[in-house]
Amino acid sequence: MTILLSRRVVALAPVALFAGADAVVIASAAAGMFGTLCLLVVSAPQLGRPMSLVTLVRQNLGIMASSGASTVAQLDVVAVTSVLGTQGAGLYSSALRLLNPLNLLVTTMMQVVIPELASATPTDRRRVFRRIRRLVLIFCLALVACSPASPLVIQFMYGDGFGGAAPVAICVTVAAAISAFAQVHLAWFYATSVPRAVPISMFGAILIGIGAIWSLSVLFGLSGAGVGLVVMHILTMVAIVALWRRYAKKESLDE
């Protein structure tokens, strides 16, 4: 998380100092080199303890597959482009950028929560989980309450020409709230174990969601694409929470 946040700070500096398209190139190059350097420094102590690639993949397959499902979700832009063209995709993508800083807040919190959950006893784990879930739920409700103001953020960031992205911006903020609630339950699996059903359910929900984005874009244009995004996150959240209820209950019975 320190690397990610630092890269964003480094990327902003050239933009503030220079004007024109060169600023984008300089910012991307500086941020990439800084992130690579930090990654090498952080990972250097691990180089003395090599692990078989097969063992590494086997131990982390569930997490890798779950992350892959999140990557597949980025095909929503392709679905919007195929229906609304590059202009519609540009408006959709500009609003979608709001997800990054909002998700980063929750992801940073989860980086602290996951080790704590992993090291706790089953009883303490449930207590810590409930406390964190309440905190994230408050954050989610605050996001939903502030969602009507999100179009102002888009106009501030990109200018009045992106006013057409207002409906999507509202939907993106709501989707971020739903995603945050899902990530809390996903953290439980990351702290214990990730059953095969988790990535499979995520893939299924996301693919159905992308289909919803495409269909609603055909019917209602850009606003439909935003609603489809919310549908995709609701489906994913329902799948993760349902599995969490099943496996958390099983853990309680085993205890």
Side-chain angles (χ1 to χ4, degrees):
M1 287 303 101
T2 302
I3 292 174
L4 290 175
L5 292 171
S6 300
R7 284 183 59 190
R8 281 158 174 75
V9 173
V10 172
L12 287 174
V15 177
L17 296 174
F18 304 99
D22 291 341
V24 178
V25 178
I26 295 172
S28 300
M33 289 187 292
F34 184 82
T36 302
L37 177 63
C38 290
L39 179 61
L40 291 175
V41 171
V42 171
S43 60
Q46 306 298 325
L47 298 179
R49 299 190 295 273
M51 178 184 292
S52 166
L53 179 60
V54 175
T55 303
L56 179 66
V57 171
R58 186 184 298 118
Q59 290 181 356
N60 298 278
L61 185 59
I63 295 177
M64 294 168 62
S66 301
S67 300
S70 300
T71 302
V72 171
Q74 298 178 17
L75 292 175
D76 60 343
V77 178
V78 178
V80 173
T81 304
S82 67
V83 177
L84 303 178
T86 54
Q87 183 176 359
L91 293 173
Y92 179 84
S93 299
S94 65
L96 204 61
R97 290 286 293 174
L98 290 176
L99 272 178
N100 291 343
L102 296 176
N103 283 339
L104 185 60
L105 291 173
V106 179
T107 303
T108 303
M109 186 186 303
M110 293 305 104
Q111 296 298 320
V112 178
V113 171
I114 291 173
E116 186 174 356
L117 289 175
S119 61
T121 63
T123 302
D124 290 339
R125 185 180 298 132
R126 286 192 292 272
R127 177 178 53 80
V128 173
F129 177 80
R130 286 194 294 266
R131 187 173 70 245
I132 297 300
R133 185 171 61 176
R134 283 196 298 267
L135 179 62
V136 173
L137 183 59
I138 293 172
F139 172 74
C140 295
L141 294 175
L143 275 183
V144 174
C146 294
S147 60
S150 55
L152 300 177
V153 179
I154 293 294
Q155 288 182 294
F156 174 78
M157 291 171 58
Y158 302 109
D160 294 337
F162 286 82
V168 183
I170 295 173
C171 293
V172 164
T173 309
V174 175
I178 298 169
S179 175
F181 191 72
Q183 284 187 57
V184 177
H185 294 81
L186 196 58
W188 175 283
F189 290 112
Y190 287 167
T192 54
S193 63
V194 183
R196 187 181 303 176
V198 172
I200 291 176
S201 299
M202 290 179 65
F203 270 108
I206 287 171
L207 290 175
I208 294 174
I210 291 175
I213 291 173
W214 185 87
S215 301
L216 292 173
S217 297
V218 172
L219 295 174
F220 305 106
L222 197 59
S223 299
V227 174
L229 179 69
V230 174
V231 170
M232 181 175 70
H233 281 275
I234 289 176
L235 292 174
T236 307
M237 183 266 292
V238 169
I240 293 173
V241 172
L243 288 171
W244 173 83
R245 290 175 62 87
R246 173 184 170 187
Y247 284 96
K249 182 178 180 179
K250 180 180 178 181
E251 181 182 82
S252 178
L253 293 175
D254 292 341
E255 183 189 6

